[in-house]
Amino acid sequence: MLPISSLPQLLKTILAWLQRAFDATTTWVTQLSWWKFFLFAALALIAGSILQDELFSSSQDEEVVIKSHKRSSKGSGDTNILIDDTGIHFNPRNSKNRRSSTADAASDPADAAEADEQAKAVPPTPPEPPAAPAKPSYPVTTNASGEEVHIELPPQIGEELSNAIEEAVDDAAEQKVSRYHQQASTWFKSFVSLLVLALFAMKALVGGKKRAEAQTVTANEAAERESMQRQLSEAKMQMMQAQVEPHFLFNTLASVEHLIQTDPPRAAKMQRSLIQYLRAVLPQMRDNALITNLGREADMVQAYLNLLKMRMEERLTIDFQIPDGLRSAAFPPMMLQSMVENAIKHGLEVKPEGGTLRIVAEVAHSKLRVIVTDDGLGFGVVPSDGTGLGLPTIRERLKLLHGDQGSLTITPNQPSGVCAVIEVPYQLSK
């Protein structure tokens, strides 16, 4: 006997196993396509029919052997027992022999004619009075209460009667076993059919829910991967922001120090431009926002170009065309700054005579388009000492933020230089 405290725990364990088995079966069924499921159902029905024939159907050879064994063990002839209101009627096998001998005697016509002539020669005798009923030749014994009767029979008749009773009992047992086999066969066939029907209902009803759950899990995994990729991209961009072009800062500070000695008013102006640039850049470095506005990015780029203008003087010409109406448009942070830095570093700064940098913002086909062009040396002319993460990181961020609607296009500019175009969906910054 199990203790009472362990019985609920046993029931919980059994229910948990049943639930896991149901979930596993449901998952397996829902993963099958419909044609595979129907093929499985057909094979299950065929296998059930074969098992039904093997387990619950007795072969004909066995029946023939059993019947022949019974006939050989009980001898030739049939023994009939009939019980009705008048009593027990027993027809032993020797009665056939008697009937056959009587038939043989009657079949001789000569003997029959001779017997008729002798009967006519003898005068008829008068009928005898009816005799009293004869007592049974075999004793019948009844006990005092009259409930038990014992009849003594000759050995031959008793043996035949016993064999007849055994045969009747064997036939009744065989019929009972046959009924049990037929009933079990019907139950087995019904069980297989109900199992296939239950699997069909499970696939039809629960399959949609399982598919929805699987799609939800897949979507969550994709969202997690996308979030991790976005975080990685933002980490790369923050790393680029943290650098803030150290050589640019060092060169600017060196220029300020030189101008303090040679041209103090110009040194003060460069210092103010550097402070303005740092005020625009440092909050951007501390801010983890995925989207900012174009006006904020333009102010930061404008401060950066003012410093470069003081350093490069007449070698740098700036054409800044960003309308006031587009300053509130949403735009990813540090992308415009990266494109301007690439144009200066790889195109204009290394060109002895310098050149022109043009920044244009416009809206076309519901997209904000920002174009940065220069007429410098172009990419690849001067070896770069950078990390090479700028352009791939920008493309990756655009894909994560806007999908196929965001793009970065780099084309050669005529007659020289590079044209970089960033397109994002046009919307107002929040």
Side-chain angles (χ1 to χ4, degrees):
M1 294 294 292
L2 293 174
I4 299 178
S5 59
S6 64
L7 184 59
Q9 186 67 26
L10 179 61
L11 292 177
K12 290 181 180 179
T13 304
I14 294 175
L15 291 177
W17 277 100
L18 291 177
Q19 183 177 3
R20 283 196 290 267
F22 176 79
D23 292 338
T25 304
T26 305
T27 303
W28 173 73
V29 171
T30 53
Q31 289 176 351
L32 292 177
S33 59
W34 278 109
W35 72 270
K36 288 183 179 180
F37 175 79
F38 286 123
L39 179 61
F40 167 77
L43 292 177
L45 293 176
I46 294 173
S49 178
I50 294 174
L51 289 176
Q52 179 184 2
D53 294 337
E54 292 293 333
L55 296 177
F56 305 108
S57 297
S58 59
S59 62
Q60 296 181 356
D61 296 337
E62 294 179 356
E63 293 180 357
V64 171
V65 170
I66 293 174
K67 291 181 179 179
S68 61
H69 176 70
K70 287 182 179 180
R71 293 192 187 99
S72 61
S73 62
K74 295 178 182 178
S76 62
D78 296 330
T79 302
N80 298 326
I81 298 178
L82 178 62
I83 302 176
D84 56 12
D85 295 339
T86 60
I88 301 176
H89 303 274
F90 173 67
N91 182 17
R93 291 191 298 268
N94 294 334
S95 62
K96 284 189 175 182
N97 297 332
R98 298 193 196 97
R99 286 195 299 268
S100 61
S101 61
T102 305
D104 292 340
S107 61
D108 192 353
D111 295 340
E114 184 178 356
D116 292 338
E117 291 179 358
Q118 292 178 0
K120 291 179 181 179
V122 178
T125 58
E128 297 180 357
K135 294 182 179 180
S137 57
Y138 306 107
V140 178
T141 305
T142 305
N143 61 357
S145 61
E147 295 179 355
E148 181 180 354
V149 178
H150 175 70
I151 302 175
E152 295 184 1
L153 298 176
Q156 183 179 2
I157 296 177
E159 181 181 358
E160 294 179 356
L161 183 60
S162 176
N163 292 335
I165 293 174
E166 290 179 0
E167 182 179 357
V169 171
D170 292 340
D171 291 340
E174 290 179 2
Q175 292 178 4
K176 187 175 182 180
V177 171
S178 178
R179 286 196 302 270
Y180 284 162
H181 281 187
Q182 185 177 2
Q183 187 176 9
S185 175
T186 304
W187 287 353
F188 181 78
K189 185 177 180 180
S190 301
F191 171 75
V192 174
S193 301
L194 288 176
L195 179 62
V196 173
L197 184 61
L199 292 177
F200 176 80
M202 188 181 298
K203 181 174 179 60
L205 299 179
V206 189
K209 180 180 178 181
K210 287 292 183 180
R211 284 192 297 271
E213 292 177 354
Q215 292 176 358
T216 302
V217 172
T218 303
N220 291 336
E221 292 177 353
E224 291 179 359
R225 288 194 299 269
E226 182 177 352
S227 177
M228 293 179 63
Q229 292 176 357
R230 179 177 298 178
Q231 291 176 4
L232 178 61
S233 177
E234 293 300 324
K236 292 179 180 178
M237 183 58 65
Q238 290 176 5
M239 180 183 66
M240 295 174 62
Q241 294 176 9
Q243 294 176 0
V244 195
E245 291 291 346
H247 71 279
F248 165 73
L249 292 178
F250 295 151
N251 293 337
T252 303
L253 291 175
S255 299
V256 170
E257 184 181 5
H258 174 72
L259 291 175
I260 289 175
Q261 298 176 359
T262 59
D263 191 353
R266 188 178 175 188
K269 184 178 179 181
M270 181 175 286
Q271 184 180 8
R272 287 193 297 270
S273 298
L274 179 60
I275 294 173
Q276 183 182 2
Y277 172 73
L278 292 177
R279 283 177 178 174
V281 171
L282 291 178
Q284 193 82 320
M285 294 172 57
R286 293 190 296 265
D287 191 4
N288 294 326
L290 298 177
I291 298 294
T292 182
N293 56 69
L294 185 59
R296 185 177 180 181
E297 295 297 308
D299 293 339
M300 185 171 58
V301 170
Q302 187 69 51
Y304 172 74
L305 292 177
N306 290 336
L307 285 173
L308 288 177
K309 179 65 175 176
M310 297 183 68
R311 283 178 48 201
M312 298 178 65
E313 297 180 348
E314 290 80 8
R315 295 175 57 237
L316 177 61
T317 302
I318 302 172
D319 185 7
F320 210 80
Q321 302 179 18
I322 296 182
D324 293 338
L326 297 181
R327 291 180 62 87
S328 60
F331 196 79
M334 293 300 296
M335 284 192 182
L336 182 59
Q337 172 80 11
S338 299
M339 300 309 300
V340 171
E341 288 178 358
N342 283 331
I344 296 294
K345 181 177 180 180
H346 299 287
L348 298 177
E349 192 174 20
V350 295
K351 188 176 180 180
E353 65 274 20
T356 302
L357 177 67
R358 181 176 290 106
I359 303 173
V360 180
E362 60 184 11
V363 176
H365 305 290
S366 300
K367 288 187 177 182
L368 175 63
R369 180 182 300 169
V370 179
I371 306 170
V372 178
T373 59
D374 67 87
D375 55 358
L377 297 180
F379 286 115
V381 177
V382 179
S384 174
D385 57 352
T387 60
L389 296 176
L391 297 180
T393 303
I394 291 175
R395 287 193 173 95
E396 186 177 355
R397 292 183 66 209
L398 288 174
K399 183 177 180 180
L400 292 174
L401 292 174
H402 304 291
D404 296 335
Q405 296 182 354
S407 63
L408 169 63
T409 305
I410 305 294
T411 57
N413 192 22
Q414 299 299 330
S416 63
V418 175
C419 177
V421 181
I422 296 178
E423 287 186 348
V424 296
Y426 175 68
Q427 54 187 358
L428 298 178
S429 177
K430 296 180 180 179

